[in-house]
Amino acid sequence: MAFRFRIPNIGFRKRMSWSDFTVACIVGVLAGIYTFKPGLQQAKDEIERREALKEIQARRKAEMEQDRPTQTAWLSLFKRIVKNSNTRYSLLWLTGGLLFCLYASDKAVLSQFQLENGTLLGGPVEIPLTVNLRQLNSITNGLAQVQEGAAAVDNNEPVPYSFYIDEIEIKESLEKYFEEQANKQMFEKTLNIVCVPKARFQVIPVERCTATIEGHLEAITVLQFSPNGKLLASGSGDTTVRFWDLNTQTPFDEYGKAHRHWILCLSWAPNGKMVASSCKQGLIGLWIGATGKQHGTKLLSGHRQWINSLSWQPLHLNGSCRLLASGSKDTTIKIWDTHLFKTVFTLSGHTASVTCVKWGGQNLLYSASQDRTIKVWRTTDGVLCRTLEGHAHWVNTLALSTDYVIRTGAYEPSKERASDEYDHLDESTLQTLASERYEKVYKLFDTNGGERLVSGSDDFTLYLWKPETDKKPLARMTGHQQLINDVKFSPDTRLLASASFDKSIKLWSSRTGAFLSTLRGHVQAVYQIAWSADSRLLVSGSADSTLKVWNIEKRCLLFDLPGHADEIYAVDYSPDGQKVASGGKDKVLKLWRR
Amino acid sequence: MPQNEHIELHRKRHGRRFDHYEKQKKKEGRLPHILSKKAQTLRGIKAKLYNKRRQNEKIQMKKTIKSHEEKETKQRQEVPEGALPAYLLDREKQSRAKILSNTIKQKRKEKAGKWDVPIPKVKAVSEAEVFRVVQSGKRRKKAWKRLVTKPCFVGEGFTRKPPKYERFIRPMALRFTKAHVTHPELKATFQLPIIGVKKNPSSPLYTSLGVITKGTVLEVNVSELGMVTQGGKVVWGKYAQVTNHPENDGCINAVLLV
């Protein structure tokens, strides 16, 4: 780093006169020339650029109110320069630019940018108070570029960030932030600004119902999109599993007729090829997603009562999608081999019905039960690792922070790829792709990696666990006034949403379990929720027959989607974020798009 | 009536008559004729009683015949209506019509001041049962002291009054501190410490003394169960009602009032 100015005392700085300005220019240029002897030509370019900046600064001073036109010019210039020069120059430019900002403004603050898991982005920098979000974004992008080198940045697209100081978000500019936090010590020490990358793509919210498809003869109980979002499978009380073609919005001809009782649970294999469905008699059926035909001739039997939950082994652990776990009311969990149609392990230990099973990314199986405990099992040999106790009533749902990556497997929704590209890849390639995606999300909480588990229960509270290491919960989240039916982590794992029978949805921070806000609007119990792929939208289905789309950044209701005639039992957001499907007691399936 | 097993012993040692089984079969064959004759010739009250008994027997026979006639193999069962998703299966959902009537009923109850306890009516315990007279004085003529004969609860910092002035004696053997409390929904029983006696339905005197009989409402310490209120505070005291006769059993069984 060339040099770093420390402003020793707070308070107002006098405006720099033009002479001081030119002096500063020359000093900067000289420093540039001095440190980079061979690059004299480039230094001369810099002088020109600084002259240009000087003019822009002058304009800025003249029009204090209107920031935007000058700032965009400044920003575009900044960006162009950052991209063209090599990293050392961009760094110098950063410091130089900041210095000028500094001289031009009244107040400034020394701050240190860092990522969530603690890694620092460069050293401390001085930034003026009037800097707004877009400028902060460009600074962070530049710092990240410097950190990782030019090779790490792909597509040259800037990643949008959101900034937090002490867990409170910076909404418009640093000034506004400090106005609201009047009692905090501002200037004496270095501010730690935590930068959280947001999804690069933005999902357009769904607004209208594009299709109302009949086909089932009884209420639809479960719905799920395939991991690549191209296929949809639904199970209903008329014992059939139907597949729906989303382009023509009609059902397939073949549909699954092998079950004899209500379909309770449905799950797509992470490679998107097979579907497993379970019924109230405790049988599991396997179907091929593309055609709708049954895989094999018989149903997997073994459980003595109905099956509450199904979970496939993640793709990054085994590319062939072979193992499936099922939790049933007869208090046992069975791991099945779907190629051989046999039970591999039977895990017993619970004393009451098992309500939810989740296969974690580290080959651990988490099971929640009505006996108020959550048990962690090792799937390689079927041994119980630990029991997580704490709830006072039935545990209804579980959610893992890596849920979204495990569900989508090798498919990356933000990258536009040909739809059949994944079909040609073989199992090992798919497995490596999936494990790359998984590792990224796994390292988000700590640099060593860690999964987080959230459990929602009938005792109106949620617990946040670190199930791989601790028996004690990290946080207990209270506030709901009725039992909690559904919990989901956002795909970027920052937020948690919980839906409860008290007609509200609560948002929590997944790092600390702190309560963020309540989303009210439904008039009856909220049954299911689903996050969009960019974590900016949440869709919820309730017993009052409406779906609601919520804007998470502003924490308010975006769209109300009425149209169903009776209670909505199942809602799903497609992993590419384009469609929402909902089904319920009125036997019709509705597809919603923009 | 044989007083000993000599008949069975004889049968084991010597066996039965040679034609025993044949005779038994023939007797059974004659039975319908005898029964029908009986049914036709009986008169009066005996006839009525016999007819009633016979009717019940015939109903049972018809049921067994029908079950024998049903096929052994499982038929394809009719799929019941009212399909529910997995998360609603163990929950009883009230029909919407019922909810309205329930709210009205609850409002009426609140006005009347009647509260829902599992055992609403309890036989009142008389004073003669609860107290035994203890005579005092030089000539054992004074009879103003009473000894409590039922289990009771005294608080933690309890110290007796000076024995000379003590009117009600609560013996240490009959003092209980813990109760076995059952959660009605979870069907699990926990041993929880008693915080106090809230109300004894027989008499307010018993409430103030802390006498525990069947139907008494106690306050128990439920911090072990880990329940939490809406505001996030931990619930540590709840009411429970005693369901057994603790003086007979030696322990206090109660059901939690949720």
Side-chain angles (χ1 to χ4, degrees), chain B residues 181-196:
Chain B
V181 182
T182 310
H183 194 293
E185 284 163 29
L186 296 175
K187 306 266 186 272
T189 310
F190 310 93
Q191 196 186 42
L192 302 172
I194 303 174
I195 298 171

Side-chain angles (χ1 to χ4, degrees), chain A residues 268-443:
Chain A
W268 280 88
N271 64 1
K273 299 216 171 82
M274 276 215 290
V275 179
S277 65
S278 75
C279 73
K280 197 160 185 280
Q281 282 183 340
L283 305 165
I284 302 177
L286 296 164
W287 317 91
I288 299 174
T291 54
K293 295 210 174 93
Q294 186 175 2
H295 177 74
T297 45
K298 52 180 182 143
L299 303 172
L300 297 172
S301 67
H303 279 295
R304 269 175 261 116
Q305 279 181 292
W306 68 77
I307 293 174
N308 275 319
S309 172
L310 289 171
S311 179
W312 286 87
Q313 188 179 29
L315 195 60
H316 68 267
L317 291 173
N318 185 347
S320 58
C321 287
R322 203 169 163 154
L323 295 178
L324 170 68
S326 65
S328 150
K329 186 161 162 65
D330 67 0
T331 78
T332 58
I333 303 154
K334 282 188 196 283
I335 300 184
W336 308 85
D337 184 330
T338 53
H339 290 350
L340 299 174
F341 286 84
K342 270 195 192 171
T343 307
V344 179
F345 290 115
T346 304
L347 312 172
S348 46
H350 279 295
T351 53
S353 158
V354 178
T355 48
C356 191
V357 287
K358 286 259 182 232
W359 203 310
Q362 303 295 108
N363 245 330
L364 289 172
L365 188 71
Y366 308 109
S367 64
S369 152
Q370 281 177 0
D371 66 359
R372 310 180 329 264
T373 61
I374 301 163
K375 288 194 197 278
V376 183
W377 313 83
R378 212 166 38 222
T379 51
T380 43
D381 47 5
V383 167
L384 173 66
C385 283
R386 58 184 68 86
T387 305
L388 309 175
E389 284 173 9
H391 276 296
H393 211 310
W394 303 347
V395 188
N396 287 330
T397 49
L398 288 178
L400 273 177
S401 58
T402 48
D403 257 344
Y404 179 74
V405 272
I406 289 177
R407 180 187 170 187
T408 48
Y411 175 68
E412 172 67 56
S414 62
K415 301 204 163 81
E416 294 283 318
R417 285 195 187 178
S419 58
D420 51 356
E421 189 186 314
Y422 288 99
D423 297 345
H424 298 314
L425 297 172
D426 69 325
E427 288 176 3
S428 47
T429 338
L430 286 174
Q431 193 171 342
T432 38
L433 280 173
S435 61
E436 272 167 28
R437 291 190 68 222
Y438 175 76
E439 286 298 317
K440 259 192 247 167
V441 178
Y442 187 62
K443 298 258 178 344

Side-chain angles (χ1 to χ4, degrees), chain A residues 370 396 527-528 567 569, chain B residues 87 90-91 93 96 228:
Chain A
Q370 281 177 0
N396 287 330
Y527 284 155
Q528 297 275 326
E567 305 188 2
Y569 286 149
Chain B
Y87 50 84
D90 278 326
R91 302 187 194 282
K93 276 204 76 186
R96 282 162 214 162
V228 169

Side-chain angles (χ1 to χ4, degrees), chain A residues 118-296:
Chain A
T119 48
L120 306 173
L121 285 175
V125 275
E126 283 274 7
I127 46 173
L129 276 191
T130 51
V131 65
N132 68 7
L133 276 183
R134 287 210 280 166
Q135 291 166 329
L136 276 177
N137 254 310
S138 48
I139 294 171
T140 323
N141 268 305
L143 285 172
Q145 240 178 336
V146 168
Q147 182 112 3
E148 294 163 37
V153 176
D154 43 358
N155 300 341
N156 264 347
E157 264 172 36
V159 179
Y161 284 91
S162 48
F163 301 94
Y164 295 84
I165 303 179
D166 295 339
E167 301 290 322
I168 303 165
E169 198 177 342
I170 303 177
K171 292 270 162 65
E172 281 175 41
S173 70
L174 272 184
E175 258 184 332
K176 285 266 159 62
Y177 171 78
F178 283 126
E179 269 167 29
E180 287 163 17
Q181 314 285 328
N183 53 352
K184 294 226 175 128
Q185 286 293 325
M186 305 192 279
F187 302 101
E188 303 298 330
K189 54 180 180 178
T190 321
L191 265 186
N192 271 332
I193 303 183
V194 177
C195 318
V196 176
K198 296 198 278 208
R200 263 195 221 147
F201 59 97
Q202 262 220 350
V203 166
I204 306 168
V206 296
E207 270 174 36
R208 59 197 182 93
C209 176
T210 53
T212 304
I213 323 171
E214 291 167 21
H216 278 296
L217 301 167
E218 277 283 337
I220 296 174
T221 52
V222 270
L223 263 183
Q224 206 179 25
F225 277 99
S226 70
N228 59 3
K230 303 274 185 286
L231 295 167
L232 175 63
S234 70
S236 113
D238 66 354
T239 77
T240 58
V241 174
R242 278 180 198 252
F243 295 87
W244 309 83
D245 183 3
L246 295 169
N247 295 325
T248 57
Q249 299 184 344
T250 51
F252 282 15
D253 275 343
E254 283 272 340
Y255 59 94
K257 276 181 272 198
H259 282 289
R260 291 235 184 126
H261 212 308
W262 308 339
I263 308 285
L264 289 181
C265 196
L266 199 72
S267 182
W268 280 88
N271 64 1
K273 299 216 171 82
M274 276 215 290
V275 179
S277 65
S278 75
C279 73
K280 197 160 185 280
Q281 282 183 340
L283 305 165
I284 302 177
L286 296 164
W287 317 91
I288 299 174
T291 54
K293 295 210 174 93
Q294 186 175 2
H295 177 74

